[in-house]
Structures are given as structure tokens and as C-alpha cells.
Amino acid sequence: MQQYWWQSTVVYQVYPRSFNDTNRDGIGDLPGIIEKLDYLQELGIGAIWLSPVYQSPNEDNGYDISDYQAVMAEFGDMADLERLIAEAKQRGIRIIMDLVVNHTSDEHGWFVEARQSKANPYRDYYVWADPAADGGVPNQLQSTFSGSAWQYDDTSQQYYLHLFSQKQPDLNWQNPQMRQAIYDMMNFWIDKGIGGFRLDVIDLIGKQPAQGITGNGPELHHYLQEMNQATFGNRDLLTVGETWGATPAIAKLYSAPERHELSMVFQFEHVGLDEQPGKSKWDLQALRISELKRVFAKWQTELGDQGWNSLFWNNHDLPRIISRWGNDGQYRVKSGKMLAILLHMLKGTPYIYQGEEIGMTNRVVHDISEVADVESRRMYAERLANGYSPADILHSINVKGRDNARTPMQWDATEQAGFTTGQPWLAVNPNYATINVAAALVDPDSLFYTYQKLIRLRQNNPIMVWGSFELLATAESVFAYKRRYQNETWLVVNNFSNEPQQIDLPAEKVETVIIQNDETELTSLANLQLTPWQSFVVKVAESDDN
Ligand code: NOJ
């Protein structure tokens, strides 16, 4: 089987707006990322997933692009971006560009043209429909950001489709000229020496709105194969698609190498486990660890030898994992280490979201005026109109809102966490005085060094990259599994709870401790009482009948 660089690397996601501000406007920028490349090299990552830095009016923080070939002025200019690519390369780090091709901004030149008239040559780059017989919306499709997915346009008296905000009109992938324009643009970026693409909501490009189909449309894989051939197909690039509805069978369609589509996808099955089934992300329920184990085990085994997994707890759309499924109080660092070890020991490419490596937590808001995110703000207005109480809605936002991940990166204990010397665009988390990079770097027991060690282990141990996976039967709150590769076996044990837990693995003869998050002596695994959030990986000797 052919092996690729992206199978044994670890990717770090930078959300530029919140990473590091060098010109005091309160907004992170490209020179700010360059300034921190040595830090990222020290961590050991091999690639940066760069959230969108293209020109954008920022309805959705850059996920609404108004010019694919220009850099957002707040972030810098093209020369800065070229310097970032070159400086990163010198440190062995590739830049993965986040690319949004399901939709553009309504301020993109194509849409400005398209809405001029039905006869405009760009009209068909977007999705238009006549009003229904009663003059209302063409059908019941809903926007992810609340309300109808259709927006009426006075000039031509038709509706256009926006699966996100009305300032994010959907592109019409059925139009071959539009597709070619996208491929040309992608080649412009490939020629700049980037390391790949993260493709935003790529599962939506095969949409057939008239039939009410959005995700996984019939032409989706045809478009991706065409894109692959026209752009990155013969290049050594990492491509990762964001695919909310993927099952393992669907993920194989995207990532089986012989199909020539993408390197891998982000699947979100685990992410939905604390949501009430069939409802929205805001309708909360407690996580059941048994479900988490079942879902991870399914993806590990079903994508075992075909396709490739991506591994993540966090990104710019998700709450901070330590606040979500760990313990952001007494066990913040310990639960953070457990979550890191659990994830990085799985098979697939791990992704770290900025601040995860120092254990950043959710930031609590008390009023909607403190919320910047378009998704949360729209949901708030909609639910308020539907009779929910402000306290209920704010609770959902505090648990699941996207601003949780977007508060500025906490670099040190100086004012504004060292992120800016101006006023940050979004308030910093008040816990920056204790949770910050400077503090983590001087503490050999910090979470940072657990991440660093996990990355180094991956580089030096093919078992982490290629080993098979087996889930072990244990108590509900213990997540234990084995990886096996060429006569070597690693046992990974995690206590996913605030309470001690018992395990009993008398047959396992510990040869070496690979990594652990406390001081427990691990000579025998018979009747072992795990401490809260304890995590360890040991190399074990397996007898033949094991
Ligand atoms: C997914 C992105 O991750 C999210 O931040 C964005 O709002 C939507 N796609 C729309 O582009």
C-alpha cells in the first residue's frame, strides 16, 4: 500500500483572527502567525490548516469569500501569505488552505454580476428559483443558520439559495464554467506551494435543491473526481473534506485511494453524541461514554485498511473539549492529557486546534451582546421568537456556541493574554492569567509537553500510524484499546471520569510505559484502580493464545 506524508503527520489548525495580532487592530494577522512558527515547530506539527484568509466582508469570519485570489486586508497581503508559506516550509511545516467552494459571499464579483439580471452570464453560477404558487419560498429547505434557505431578490423577482447566511449564496456546481473557474483558482494556490486544502462543507456541492437534496447529492463524487483530476490529483497534497453526514461507507467513497478523490474527511458522528437525536446541536443531552467508544471503534475498524481517518476533538465550530467532555476545574490538565492520549493513539491523522495544546476552556457569556458568532446570534433570535427563555438559550450557547473556540489565543499573562496590545475583536477568556503558552512552556508537566511527546511518538513508532485497533470490554467509563503492528502490541487505557475505576487485565505483561498522565507504577495490570482521568499507554508482551 502506498504511504503518504499526511498519514504520519499531525496538523494544527490556526484560526487567524484569534491567533496573534501584530498591528494592534485587535485582529490576528499573517505576520502574527509567522511570528509563532518557531513555537509550532517546537510543538512538532507538520502542517497548518489555515482557516480562510481570503478577502471577505466577514459575515461568517472568512467563510464568506468575496475574492478567492486576494488576501483579507485585516490579515495582511499576498506577500505576507507567500512569506508564511516559505517560512513554514523552512521549518518542515506545510500550509493547508481552507477553501470554501460550496458558496461565496454575496459581495463576490460573480454574485454581484449574477443578481443584475436573469440574462447575466454569471446568473447560473448560483442557484435561483421562482417563488412558489403562493408567492412564498420555493420549498422548505432550511439554512444551517436558522430560517429559510431562500432569500428573495427584488431585482429579478426570484429567490436564491443560501444554506448558510443570506450573505453566503450557494454556488451552482451543475454549471461547468463555474466548476472550471474554481479549479483554475485552486491551481493558482497550488502553484504558490501550499500543502493542500481543507474543503469546507464539501458534501453539499452535489445539492439538488429542487428535490430538497443538500448533502451527498448524486453528482457529488463525480465533481470531486473531476476536481482531483483538474487540480491536486498528481500533486503530493493533503486534502480533507468537511462532511457532516458521512458514515464509514460514505467516507470510503471520498478517501479510498483508487477513487482519486480526497486524502480523508472530517466525520462528525462522535461530535453529535451530546445532542438529542433528530434535533439540533443546541438541544443537549449528556454524553454516554459507551456510545463514544462504539462510534470510535466503528470508524477505526471500518476504515481500517480502506480510506483514512481524521482524528479531532476541536475546531473553530466546536466548544473546547476539556469543558465539553473533560473537566475544566480540578482535573483540567489531567483530563486534557487523557483526551490527548486517547485521540492521538488512534489510527488516522490527528488535528490540534489552536489553544488545545495548552488546555484552553470555554468562555462563559451572560448576555447575547457578548456573542459575535452569526450562528449563535441567529439561533438566539429565532428561539426567543419561539418562546424560549433567554437563560435557556444562553445555556445552549455557553455549552455549544462557536465563540467558545474563537476567543483569542492565550500567549502569556500580560493584558489581553499577549494576543494584542489593542482591543481584541472578541473578549479574551479571563483565565488567561493561569492558562497560557508562556506558563505551559516553563512547566515540564504541562499539557503542551504531552502533545509534543505524542507527536514525537507518532514520528518514531509506526504502530501509531499503521497498527490495527481492538476495543477492549471494560467498565462504561473506561476507554481501553489495543494497537497491534508487526508483533508489537500497545495497550491504551483511559479513565473517562471524575471517579476511580477498576480494571483487571492480569494477562498483560507490561514491557515499557510509553506515556502516562500520572505517576502510578504500572508493573501489573491485575486489579488496578485507575485514578480519575488516568491515562496510560504501555507496550505489552502478548502470549500466543492472547
Ligand atoms: C463550515 C465551517 O467550518 C463554518 O465555520 C462555516 O460557518 C460553514 N462551514 C459555512 O462556510
Side-chain angles (χ1 to χ4, degrees), residues 49 60 63-64 98 100 103 145 164 168 198 200-201 242 244 315-317 402 406:
W49 153 16
D60 188 17
Y63 287 88
D64 48 320
D98 201 332
V100 189
H103 46 269
F145 293 164
F164 296 90
Q168 293 166 294
R198 177 263 186 190
D200 190 71
V201 289
E242 186 198 22
W244 278 82
N315 66 32
H316 63 293
D317 294 330
R402 305 195 299 180
R406 300 176 180 186

Side-chain angles (χ1 to χ4, degrees), residues 416-477:
Q416 311 300 1
F419 161 71
T420 181
T421 48
Q423 272 308 309
W425 73 277
L426 185 67
V428 298
N429 192 317
N431 63 20
Y432 71 87
T434 46
I435 305 175
N436 63 65
V437 169
L441 290 177
V442 296
D443 173 6
D445 274 338
S446 72
L447 186 53
F448 176 89
Y449 291 111
T450 294
Y451 274 95
Q452 185 192 58
K453 184 166 181 180
L454 287 166
I455 296 171
R456 289 191 183 153
L457 283 169
R458 177 169 291 266
Q459 284 157 355
N460 298 320
N461 294 279
I463 186 172
M464 279 176 77
V465 183
W466 307 113
S468 64
F469 170 93
E470 184 198 345
L471 182 69
L472 303 185
T474 52
E476 157 85 10
S477 298

